[in-house]
């Protein structure tokens, strides 16, 4: 089949031989470059087998077509080996003879160039808006195999009709190649991003719970897949064939039902497990530890009461907040009150446990000073029901800040604190979550004591990877202990200096927990930001003591897993807890050929304990197409899922490989995927054209943005802890979160319709879109900036900030005044709405054009050249184009 493309002709020439902007630079690779997954075996680009070229016609005119996006690189008439690309740097990029100058090739003079029109290259905001126009507000039915869902940025309603909602599973492509050879040829990763406990909007039905009583869920005898819509009933309904392994099973007597004239059971629509893609089973005792029903989970709040936290007012802030927050502990739908038990520990060099039994008039403190052999000094009265012990708990929360008001203790422990939590859950025979609030590196004499190992001299060397590696020993064992007990750790850090986050965050990042970080915490600017995070963390939908298994039909299997998880073997994904925001990215590989007729099936089963202490099995099923035509694979790719996979695999790879290698592999694989498309799927056309698959036309902007993120940029200006923090946060992210992180929203607010129900459409994430008289909101799920142009009108400033002019603006503000006018109300409503949508709270930072703090804002303009190294989108596209041409010659 011929695939015509989109052809545009901006004033481009060939791409430069060396890519500017990256600190290590990309030199031209070997004549036969090697490609491979991060950490995988490299292999050379191979030409397709004879006869696989699918196109016949050449694209030479300007046409729109569904499948490809083409634009021309015109040879520069002055020097055919130069890139005629005027950037911010004036002059021209050097040809092969000039080499790289001063990190960025911008030093050569040359004839004046026409300004490149940025609108001529694919726009992420346009792709997002087009998908909203097409799918926004629509009902998406899941009854078609291999159907590509709307983008994560589009609001739509899902109707489950036999495949799991894209809120639970998204794939890098919805058409798998039939053979391993094809997969190797195109280099498109085959992966699914699974968010098993994802929140559903209010207009979508919650999952049904199927209860088969003591017999439990029905499963295939051979592969243990659970009953689902893909099972084929035969022999008048007395047996069924498992579509995962083809084994024929007897139907249990209680489950027997007659088949209709189509061969379908007559109770098809009455049974969720036969007609829906996602559902739950109530688990029997066979699925419980020691064959006993679990106890409801518990939350333990563990507060560092050393000098820093007392002085900053943090301890009082936490205690005051808990008095109201404990009223809102999570509970199952329909339950009157929460079943979650609570406990309290304070610590510095020693640990203080509190007895808050309801019968006591006053809370009692017990101190454990021997932190080498951690134990919990009381069983009865440590973990209690908040409702029963409310007066005693409130009394304790009033007393803690005054009890430690005069402390001079400046050293803390850390590992024994987590150990204490594990021991408490063990004694109570329950799972649960620790909320730990710490401001210092643990330097007190105790297990898990850390020392400063931050060394900027390692940046850009082969040893840089050690900065991201946790210190082995105590913390490695703690991870295992936590997972066995179902103990999840959420860590709130308030550092004023380096604290070895890579090690301190090791336990949270393997137990389904989160790490929150507030550098140089100050009550007035960071207090609300922290409390918003704490509230979300306490109240979110969560399951404990979880184990996940991904089963597939024959021909392919799950081979690798990325997330806040622990793997004891190659198949069981163990999570002390999993919440509504955590996703596991699963990579698949062929172990045989797949058939176009039967397609490919994935079943993801999550066994977990819910918030009321009931053991549940949540099952998500998805059916994909298979094809021996690569054009079908490219047509059903999803860029947002692809970049989620690449981000996680790159962030894992930097633990073992130099950053330079990881970046090169990312660029090589990008070029390889696009070269394979060009060679096998696109119409023949001039080599000067860059041809992109329509579904991947904005993939380069995301890939370039990924390579400019803090973990992948070797810059001594970036804090080691911040880099480690972002690396770990991304490992647990779902598709929505990585999409927003790598392409932030830039929303113009200065000329919006204040009466409109919707927020203004975002613009491209580049300095070129800013105007001196404008007001822009930028957010990426972790940071939020309100940028004010230096020529913003006095009316705008007065309307939003209640100030006569920018001259009265003081430094970096973090809140908007409550001004009673339509513009101010609209801006605050947009900010509130964005804050509520995101898993994390974002601290609002208000910056003026040309002020020093503006640098933080500019770092997030991902289409521009990176502040710490990294190319602009245009330059990267040219470089990738050159790599593609090299592969194809």
């Amino acid at each position: 089949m011929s695939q015509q493309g989109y052809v545009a002709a901006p004033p481009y020439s060939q791409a430069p031989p060396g890519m500017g902007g990256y600190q290590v630079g990309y030199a031209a690779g070997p004549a036969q470059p090697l490609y491979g997954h991060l950490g995988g075996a490299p292999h050379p680009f191979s030409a397709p087998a004879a006869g696989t070229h699918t196109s016949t016609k050449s694209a030479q005119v300007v046409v729109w077509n569904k499948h490809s996006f083409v634009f021309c690189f015109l040879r520069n008439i002055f020097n055919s080996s130069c890139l005629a690309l005027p950037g911010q740097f004036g002059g021209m990029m050097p040809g092969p003879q000039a080499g790289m100058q001063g990190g960025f090739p911008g030093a050569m003079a040359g004839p004046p160039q026409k300004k490149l029109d940025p609108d001529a290259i694919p726009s992420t905001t346009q792709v997002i808006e087009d998908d909203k126009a097409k799918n926004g507000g629509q009902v998406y039915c899941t009854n078609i195999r291999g159907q590509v869902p709307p983008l994560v940025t589009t609001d739509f309603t899902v109707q489950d009709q036999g495949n799991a909602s894209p809120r639970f599973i998204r794939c890098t492509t919805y058409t798998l190649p039939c053979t391993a050879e094809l997969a190797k040829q195109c280099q498109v990763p085959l992966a699914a991003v699974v968010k098993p406990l994802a929140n559903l909007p209010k207009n979508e039905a919650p999952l049904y719970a199927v209860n088969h009583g003591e017999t439990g869920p029905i499963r295939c005898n051979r592969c243990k897949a659970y009953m689902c819509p893909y099972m084929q009933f035969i022999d008048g309904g007395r047996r069924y064939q498992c579509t995962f392994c083809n084994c024929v099973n007897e139907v249990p007597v209680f489950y027997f039902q007659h088949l209709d004239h189509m061969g379908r059971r007559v109770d098809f629509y009455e049974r969720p497990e036969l007609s829906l893609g996602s559902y739950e089973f109530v688990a029997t005792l066979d699925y419980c530890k020691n064959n006993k029903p679990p106890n409801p989970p518990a939350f333990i709040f563990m507060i560092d009461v050393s000098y820093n936290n007392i002085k900053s007012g943090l301890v009082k802030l936490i205690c005051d907040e808990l008095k109201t927050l404990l009223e809102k502990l999570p509970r199952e739908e329909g339950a009157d009150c929460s079943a979650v038990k609570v406990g309290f520990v304070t610590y510095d060099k020693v640990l203080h446990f509190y007895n808050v039994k309801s019968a006591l008039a006053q809370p009692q403190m017990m101190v454990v000073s021997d932190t080498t052999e951690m134990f919990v000094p009381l069983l009865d009265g440590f973990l209690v029901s908040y409702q029963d012990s409310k007066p005693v708990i409130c009394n304790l929360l009033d007393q803690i800040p005054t009890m430690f008001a005069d402390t001079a203790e400046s050293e803390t422990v850390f590992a024994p604190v987590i150990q204490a939590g594990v021991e408490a859950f063990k004694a109570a025979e329950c799972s649960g979550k620790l909320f730990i609030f710490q401001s210092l590196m643990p330097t007190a004499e105790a297990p898990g004591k850390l020392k400063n190992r931050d060394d900027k001299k390692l940046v850009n060397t082969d040893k840089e990877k050690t900065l991201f590696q946790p210190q082995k020993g105590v913390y490695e064992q703690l991870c295992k202990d936590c997972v066995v007990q179902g103990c999840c750790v959420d860590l709130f850090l308030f550092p004023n200096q380096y604290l070895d986050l890579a090690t301190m965050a090791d336990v949270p990042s393997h137990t389904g927990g989160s790490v929150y970080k507030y550098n140089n915490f100050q009550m007035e600017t960071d207090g609300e930001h922290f409390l918003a995070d704490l509230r979300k963390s306490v109240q979110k939908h969560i399951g404990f003591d979880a184990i996940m298994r991904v089963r597939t039909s024959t021909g392919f299997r799950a081979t690798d897993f990325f997330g806040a998880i622990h793997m004891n073997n190659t198949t069981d994904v163990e999570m002390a807890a999993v919440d509504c925001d955590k996703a596991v990215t699963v990579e698949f590989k062929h172990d045989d050929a797949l058939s176009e007729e039967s397609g490919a099936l994935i079943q993801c089963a999550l066994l977990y304990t819910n918030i009321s202490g009931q053991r549940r099995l949540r099952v998500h099923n998805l059916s994909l197409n298979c094809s021996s035509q690569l054009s079908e694979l490219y047509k059903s790719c999803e860029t947002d899922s692809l970049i989620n996979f690449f981000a996680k695999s790159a962030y894992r790879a930097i633990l073992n490989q130099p950053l330079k290698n990881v970046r090169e592999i990312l660029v090589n694989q990008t070029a390889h995927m696009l070269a394979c498309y060009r060679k096998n799927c696109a119409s023949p056309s001039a080599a000067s054209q860059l041809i992109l698959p329509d579904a991947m036309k904005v993939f380069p902007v995301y890939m370039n943005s990924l390579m400019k993120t803090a973990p992948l940029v070797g810059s001594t200006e970036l804090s080691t802890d911040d880099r480690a923090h972002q690396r770990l946060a991304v490992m647990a992210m779902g598709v929505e979160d990585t999409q927003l992180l790598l392409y932030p929203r830039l929303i113009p607010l200065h000329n919006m319709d204040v009466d409109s129900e919707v927020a203004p459409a975002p613009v491209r994430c580049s300095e070129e879109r800013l105007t001196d008289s404008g007001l822009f909101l930028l957010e990426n799920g972790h940071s939020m900036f309100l940028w004010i142009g230096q020529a913003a009108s006095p009316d705008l400033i007065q309307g939003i900030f209640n100030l006569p002019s920018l001259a009265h603006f003081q430094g970096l503000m973090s809140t908007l005044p409550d001004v009673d006018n339509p513009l101010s109300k609209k801006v605050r409503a947009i900010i509130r709405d964005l804050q509520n949508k995101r898993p994390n709270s974002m601290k609002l930072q208000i910056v003026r054009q040309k002020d020093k703090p503006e640098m933080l804002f500019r770092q997030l303009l991902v289409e521009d050249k990176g502040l710490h190294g990294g190319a602009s989108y245009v330059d990267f596209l040219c470089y990738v184009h050159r790599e593609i041409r090299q592969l194809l010659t």
Side-chain angles (χ1 to χ4, degrees):
M1 63 182 268
S2 165
Q3 299 211 352
Q4 295 287 358
Y6 171 77
V7 186
Y12 277 166
S13 82
Q14 288 164 232
M19 177 71 168
Y22 290 99
Q23 277 168 325
V24 198
Y26 299 120
Q32 175 71 307
L34 295 175
Y35 294 89
H37 276 311
L38 299 156
H43 41 269
F45 184 88
S46 52
T52 57
H53 201 290
T54 56
S55 57
T56 51
K57 281 159 83 184
S58 159
Q60 286 150 353
V61 287
V62 178
V63 289
W64 262 115
N65 175 285
K66 234 167 113 181
H67 308 309
S68 306
F69 187 96
V70 186
F71 44 101
C72 303
F73 286 76
L74 299 180
R75 238 192 196 91
N76 179 282
I77 53 172
F78 301 109
N79 177 349
S80 66
S81 64
C82 291
L83 173 66
L85 206 81
Q88 303 113 290
F89 304 95
M92 288 163 54
M93 291 194 170
Q97 70 281 12
M100 301 277 286
Q101 299 182 0
F104 191 86
M108 267 185 71
Q113 299 297 323
K114 270 197 251 170
K115 183 82 171 137
L116 177 76
D117 177 12
D119 291 326
I121 58 177
S123 156
T124 302
T125 49
Q126 192 57 53
V127 167
I128 290 170
E129 289 306 311
D130 290 349
D131 195 73
K132 281 181 178 169
K134 182 181 165 194
N135 298 309
Q138 303 292 312
V139 174
Y140 172 76
C141 295
T142 70
N143 56 343
I144 300 169
R145 184 177 87 188
Q147 183 178 208
V148 182
L151 297 180
V152 284
T153 40
T154 299
D155 275 330
F156 58 99
T157 302
V158 179
Q159 192 167 36
D160 186 341
Q161 294 188 349
N163 282 294
S165 158
R167 304 193 202 289
F168 296 122
I169 307 183
R170 280 184 177 267
C171 294
T172 53
T173 176
Y174 292 81
T175 301
L176 301 185
C178 280
T179 64
E181 285 65 42
L182 277 174
K184 189 173 174 180
Q185 190 182 317
C186 70
Q187 289 276 302
V188 173
L190 310 177
V193 187
V194 184
K195 204 194 254 189
L197 292 187
N199 281 333
L200 296 177
K202 290 196 166 48
N203 61 346
E204 290 178 21
L207 299 199
Y208 287 96
V210 177
N211 192 344
H212 287 322
E214 287 180 16
T215 50
I218 293 167
R219 307 176 68 174
C220 169
N221 290 329
R222 185 194 290 158
C223 72
K224 301 295 183 225
Y226 293 88
M227 181 53 67
C228 70
Y230 315 138
M231 300 299 190
Q232 296 290 323
F233 287 87
I234 52 175
D235 198 11
R238 284 186 288 278
R239 299 192 298 163
Y240 69 92
Q241 183 168 24
C242 171
T243 33
F244 291 89
C245 70
N246 299 320
C247 172
V248 174
N249 298 269
E250 297 291 324
V251 172
V253 176
F254 85 92
Y255 200 69
F256 172 77
Q257 187 52 271
H258 295 285
L259 308 184
D260 64 14
H261 65 288
M262 307 268 292
R264 206 157 65 170
R265 285 173 56 120
V266 294
D267 62 353
F268 176 80
Y269 288 111
E270 292 154 35
R271 292 198 177 271
E273 74 275 24
L274 298 182
S275 54
L276 299 177
S278 300
Y279 42 85
E280 290 200 325
F281 289 111
V282 176
T284 56
L285 291 179
D286 298 345
Y287 294 89
C288 302
K289 256 186 203 158
N290 309 324
N291 287 37
K292 277 166 59 180
N295 289 314
F299 287 175
I300 305 178
F301 297 91
M302 313 182 98
I303 307 168
D304 160 5
V305 288
S306 62
Y307 177 75
N308 274 12
N309 283 0
I310 294 290
K311 190 186 71 170
S312 69
L314 179 67
V315 173
K316 185 172 187 327
L317 184 71
I318 294 167
C319 291
D320 288 349
E321 175 63 27
L322 286 178
K323 288 181 220 166
T324 51
L325 188 51
L326 292 174
E327 298 279 1
K328 301 171 190 163
L329 290 170
R331 58 175 190 250
E332 279 303 303
E333 287 282 313
D336 293 339
C337 62
S338 174
V340 176
K341 296 269 202 297
V342 294
F344 305 88
V345 172
T346 54
Y347 66 95
D348 40 44
K349 272 168 135 168
V350 299
L351 278 74
H352 324 105
F353 295 80
Y354 297 93
N355 183 346
V356 283
K357 205 169 161 181
S358 57
L360 296 172
Q362 284 280 337
Q364 295 171 346
M365 178 206 274
M366 294 185 173
V367 180
V368 176
S369 52
D370 180 4
T371 50
T372 50
E373 293 286 323
M374 204 57 233
F375 69 99
V376 178
L378 72 158
L379 286 181
D380 192 24
F382 178 60
L383 295 177
V384 298
S385 151
Y386 172 69
Q387 292 304 330
D388 294 349
S389 295
K390 190 172 165 181
V392 194
I393 290 172
C394 289
N395 191 332
L396 171 67
L397 294 172
D398 284 337
Q399 286 184 39
I400 286 174
T402 48
M403 227 183 321
F404 298 99
D406 301 327
T407 186
E409 187 53 75
S410 61
E411 284 195 317
T412 64
V413 297
F414 180 60
V417 180
I418 299 175
Q419 193 65 55
V422 175
E423 296 301 328
F425 292 149
K426 212 179 272 182
E429 296 185 353
C430 69
S431 51
K433 187 162 164 180
L434 309 180
F435 297 83
I436 303 180
F437 307 90
Q438 171 125 357
S439 64
L440 300 164
M441 183 194 282
T443 52
E445 281 306 326
K449 173 185 175 178
L450 297 177
K451 58 180 189 295
N452 189 336
R453 60 188 183 113
D454 190 17
D455 186 355
K456 288 289 197 296
K457 289 198 287 296
L458 299 181
V459 173
N460 280 325
T461 71
D462 286 358
K463 288 194 176 155
E464 184 169 6
K465 59 191 177 202
T466 59
L467 297 174
F468 297 111
Q469 294 166 352
Q471 295 186 39
K472 294 271 185 264
V474 174
Y475 292 99
E476 204 173 10
Q477 186 55 46
L478 265 181
C479 287
K480 292 175 186 163
D481 295 347
C482 284
V483 171
V484 167
Q485 193 50 50
C487 168
C488 167
V489 178
D490 264 13
L491 180 57
F492 295 81
L493 294 170
F494 306 86
N496 295 329
Q497 58 198 43
Y498 172 80
L499 41 62
D500 193 359
L501 188 136
T503 302
M504 292 187 73
D506 196 32
V507 177
S509 63
H510 283 92
T511 58
S514 302
V515 180
Y516 304 88
K517 186 161 172 278
Y518 312 90
N519 295 340
N520 304 310
F521 177 83
Q522 287 183 317
M523 191 77 84
E524 49 287 354
T525 53
D526 303 295
E528 262 314 305
H529 169 41
F530 154 62
L531 292 179
D533 276 335
L534 178 59
R535 288 167 199 146
K536 287 187 181 207
S537 173
V538 168
Q539 294 174 270
K540 63 170 63 166
H541 176 41
I542 188 168
F544 291 94
D545 203 6
I547 189 159
M548 187 172 96
R549 175 70 75 87
V550 177
R551 293 180 175 84
T552 53
S553 51
T554 52
F556 76 122
R557 63 194 166 87
T559 55
D560 212 350
F561 302 87
F562 305 85
I565 56 174
H566 179 73
M567 300 287 294
N568 243 343
N569 53 40
T570 54
T571 54
D572 295 330
V573 180
E574 296 183 57
M575 296 171 277
V578 55
D579 64 49
C580 55
D581 300 318
K582 297 289 185 296
V584 178
T585 301
V586 186
E587 187 178 13
F588 301 103
K589 291 264 166 59
H590 288 76
D591 48 20
D592 205 347
L594 297 168
S595 130
E596 292 196 2
E597 191 189 343
S598 52
L601 308 176
I602 298 170
Q603 183 178 81
C604 165
L606 178 82
L607 175 65
Y608 72 101
T609 302
N610 70 12
I611 204 75
S612 63
Q614 199 179 34
R615 205 75 176 137
R616 289 284 178 95
L617 261 160
R618 179 171 284 216
V619 181
H620 298 299
N621 303 287
L622 189 63
S623 60
L624 304 174
N625 287 333
C626 298
S627 177
S628 50
Q629 298 291 319
L630 284 176
S631 55
E632 292 301 314
L633 173 140
Y634 282 102
K635 219 188 291 184
S636 52
C637 275
E638 188 179 83
T639 287
D640 297 335
S641 297
L642 275 169
I643 204 67
N644 177 282
F645 172 84
F646 278 113
K648 290 186 181 186
S649 52
Y651 280 8
R652 180 193 284 173
I654 61 178
L655 290 175
N656 308 307
Q657 298 183 49
L659 288 188
K660 181 170 177 282
N661 296 13
V662 175
R663 287 198 300 258
E664 279 173 6
I665 291 169
L666 288 173
V667 176
N668 288 347
Q669 201 166 342
T670 301
H672 194 116
M673 291 191 298
L674 299 176
C676 179
Y677 175 79
R678 170 79 186 247
K679 190 158 200 140
N680 298 296
C681 311
S683 311
S685 54
S688 59
Q689 289 183 343
L690 172 61
I691 301 182
L692 301 169
D694 192 60
M696 287 173 70
K697 67 185 178 203
V698 291
F699 181 74
V701 76
Y702 284 108
M703 180 53 85
N704 187 41
S705 175
L706 170 61
M707 294 201 301
K708 290 189 283 192
T709 55
L712 290 178
V713 173
S715 167
T716 51
E717 290 171 40
L718 295 167
S719 123
T720 302
D721 278 344
D722 286 351
R723 295 174 75 198
H725 186 218
Q726 185 174 341
R727 189 190 85 77
L728 291 169
V730 166
M731 292 307 285
M733 279 185 187
V735 178
E736 307 89 313
D737 305 331
T738 47
Q739 187 279 328
L740 183 60
L741 181 73
L742 296 172
Y743 201 90
R745 306 259 190 290
L746 180 61
I747 304 169
L749 299 177
H750 45 279
N751 50 9
M752 65 178 170
D753 175 4
V754 291
D755 299 320
S756 167
E757 291 286 298
V758 291
V763 295
R764 293 179 74 150
C765 209
S766 166
E767 184 185 0
E768 294 201 340
R769 307 291 155 164
L770 302 174
T771 55
D772 288 358
S773 59
L775 182 75
F776 290 82
L777 187 70
L778 179 76
E779 60 114 9
N780 71 350
H782 291 263
S783 309
M784 182 181 265
F785 291 93
L786 188 60
W787 181 91
I788 314 161
Q790 57 188 4
S793 75
D795 290 350
L796 193 65
I797 303 299
Q798 184 70 50
I800 290 180
F801 301 102
N802 205 18
L803 294 169
S805 74
L806 272 181
H808 295 78
F809 188 84
Q810 294 297 312
L812 196 70
M813 289 167 59
S814 61
T815 50
L816 284 178
D818 196 349
V819 186
D820 187 18
N821 69 52
L823 178 63
S824 173
K825 283 179 178 168
K826 177 75 177 170
V827 170
R828 280 178 289 136
I830 289 171
I831 290 171
R832 201 165 44 242
D833 181 51
L834 291 173
Q835 290 276 20
N836 291 339
K837 277 183 186 165
R838 310 295 174 229
N840 296 329
S841 150
M842 294 176 283
K843 175 181 169 181
L844 177 67
Q845 300 178 71
I846 300 168
V847 295
R848 286 190 303 186
Q849 185 178 11
K850 300 230 162 58
D851 276 6
K852 202 178 171 195
E854 193 199 16
M855 293 291 279
L856 299 167
F857 163 83
R858 285 183 182 274
Q859 266 174 293
L860 302 187
L861 299 176
V862 296
E863 289 200 16
D864 300 339
K865 186 173 178 289
L867 294 185
H868 301 291
S872 70
Y873 174 27
V874 169
D875 294 353
F876 181 71
L877 209 50
C878 294
Y879 181 73
V880 167
H881 181 234
R882 181 181 158 275
E883 289 287 290
I884 292 169
R885 291 180 66 175
Q886 241 183 8
L887 286 171
L888 295 175
T889 48

